[in-house]
Amino acid sequence: MGALLSELLRAGADLRAQPIPTQGNDPEVDNELDKYRCNVEQLRQLLPSIHNQLLLERARLEAQRARVRSAAEWARASRQTL
């Protein structure tokens, strides 16, 4: 997530550093810029939700890892008592 955010910030800074062509000079460029802005706005709205889902999944995986580790330790200990 951090890398994606960093890349978006870098791309935004690069775009702001370049002069924006006046709207109406090139309809194809205008259309592509509108699509790009719309996509970035949608992504900006979705990123917090995606981030939260990833945090939940990481917590679930860490809990599962702890269970597996505990089971492995139990199995090791039970072999030693036999």
Side-chain angles (χ1 to χ4, degrees), residues 4-82:
L4 177 60
L5 181 58
S6 177
E7 181 64 22
L8 284 172
L9 291 173
R10 186 197 61 73
D14 288 349
L15 288 172
R16 282 189 294 278
Q18 298 175 12
I20 297 175
T22 308
Q23 252 188 341
N25 288 346
D26 188 343
E28 187 176 342
V29 170
D30 293 344
N31 186 35
E32 290 302 318
L33 281 173
D34 287 342
K35 284 184 198 176
Y36 176 78
R37 285 185 185 110
C38 182
N39 288 336
V40 169
E41 181 60 30
Q42 289 176 351
L43 182 59
R44 188 180 70 80
Q45 292 174 5
L46 289 173
L47 280 177
S49 174
I50 293 169
H51 182 69
N52 288 337
Q53 290 175 4
L54 289 173
L55 289 175
L56 289 171
E57 181 64 9
R58 179 169 58 181
R60 187 190 70 76
L61 289 172
E62 288 172 356
Q64 187 66 25
R65 181 186 300 159
R67 282 189 217 109
V68 169
R69 190 177 295 135
S70 177
E73 290 172 7
W74 176 84
R76 242 187 326 275
S78 67
R79 272 189 256 134
Q80 291 174 355
T81 60
L82 293 175

